[in-house]
Amino acid sequence: MKCEIEFLPVGDVSKAGDAIVIRYGEPYDYKLMLVDGGHAETGDRIVAHLRKNFGPDAALEHALLTHSDGDHANGLPTVLKTIRVANLWLHAPWLHAADALPLFANKTMTVDGLARTLKSNYDIISDICDLAVAQRCYVHAAFAGYQIGPFRVLSPSMRTYLHLLPQFDKTPDPDQRAIERQGLWIGKASPASRLFESVKASLQSWTTETWDRERLRDGGITSASNESSVVLYGSFEGGPALLTGDAGNRGLGWAAEEAVRLGLPLQGFQMVQVPHHGSRRNSGPTMLDRILGPIQPQHGPTRFHAYVSAPTDDSKHPRNIVLNAFTRRGGYVTATQGVSKVHWGGFPARPGYSAAQPLPFFSRVEEYT
């Protein structure tokens, strides 16, 4: 099976986001899939793109929301109102209230009360689900082991998601001890810590890096919401493809374990998505070695294509230190930064597209702080 994966440009200037259009099958017998919908204004761009390239009656066999963050979710209502979608895949937090209730700190809270709170706090997800039902679109949960078109979900498992949910920013306080007992504690970032990270980013310092000295470190921590991102593995002509959403080191680790359990090979990808717009907290050397393979000789042949959804002007996304890490392991790394980037995956190139040039290896990178 062939698989064309197109990363649409999302956001203007410094607004990162994801919207990925996938065509799978054969040139004259294919289906379409959408992974994430970007910002609210991205919805119109997705609709225009689908109709321009696949006809006025273009329809989606599958639409997937990897996780609940607005830069992935807010464009989906426009798509659902305008384009026929057969199947919608996502995580609806309130549907898991009964199973997740013991993992919240407030032991007087009822299942109904928690469900109402989650549905209210995640109103964009609720609206998306309501629109899907109104459009007679089937709504499915997206957990490890499920098949979505040509892709297998590697992460998260339902059990993992239940333990991450109380740690999301917009949920009631978690029962830390109950979650720690399962080894799934990440924690919530306080407003003060978020402000500190923002200030620290604005004071970014720089250093030098060589091919043989990698400054990216293990141990980066991202939010529980990011770690709940759906990670997809597709097997296609030319090798497998990996879509990572905003998953971090833990989410990628869970995905790698599931791939091994299912007998799906790692380190032989034809293309991978750089997680979370190239954030340094989402990738570490050990995890990249496990998934992509070890560092290659400098100036050696490329082994896979790596794509990063990034805005045109954002000091935090993508990080040079992360781009270098993918390049070292044999990646041909490109970023959207205002322009669509396409992995043709066996499909013929469409008119108006030209070959994307890889990003260079950067000798000047961010200090890892």
Side-chain angles (χ1 to χ4, degrees), residues 91 96 99 141-144 146 155-164:
H91 301 142
H96 305 284
D99 292 323
F143 292 116
Y146 289 22
S155 182
S157 68
M158 182 181 291
R159 173 183 173 275
T160 297
Y161 179 79
L162 291 176
H163 287 77
L164 293 176

Side-chain angles (χ1 to χ4, degrees), residues 60-82:
L60 293 168
E61 183 69 17
H62 301 283
L64 165 70
L65 176 61
T66 58
H67 63 299
S68 58
D69 288 0
D71 60 328
H72 296 251
N74 287 342
L76 285 178
T78 298
V79 175
L80 286 164
K81 291 174 185 176
T82 315

Side-chain angles (χ1 to χ4, degrees), residues 296-312:
Q296 301 296 297
Q298 192 171 10
H299 308 304
T302 57
R303 300 167 54 242
F304 61 91
H305 289 259
Y307 298 86
V308 55
S309 296
T312 56

Side-chain angles (χ1 to χ4, degrees), residues 196-207:
F196 175 75
E197 286 293 329
S198 177
V199 171
K200 188 166 66 173
S202 69
L203 301 173
Q204 180 67 63
S205 57
W206 296 80
T207 188

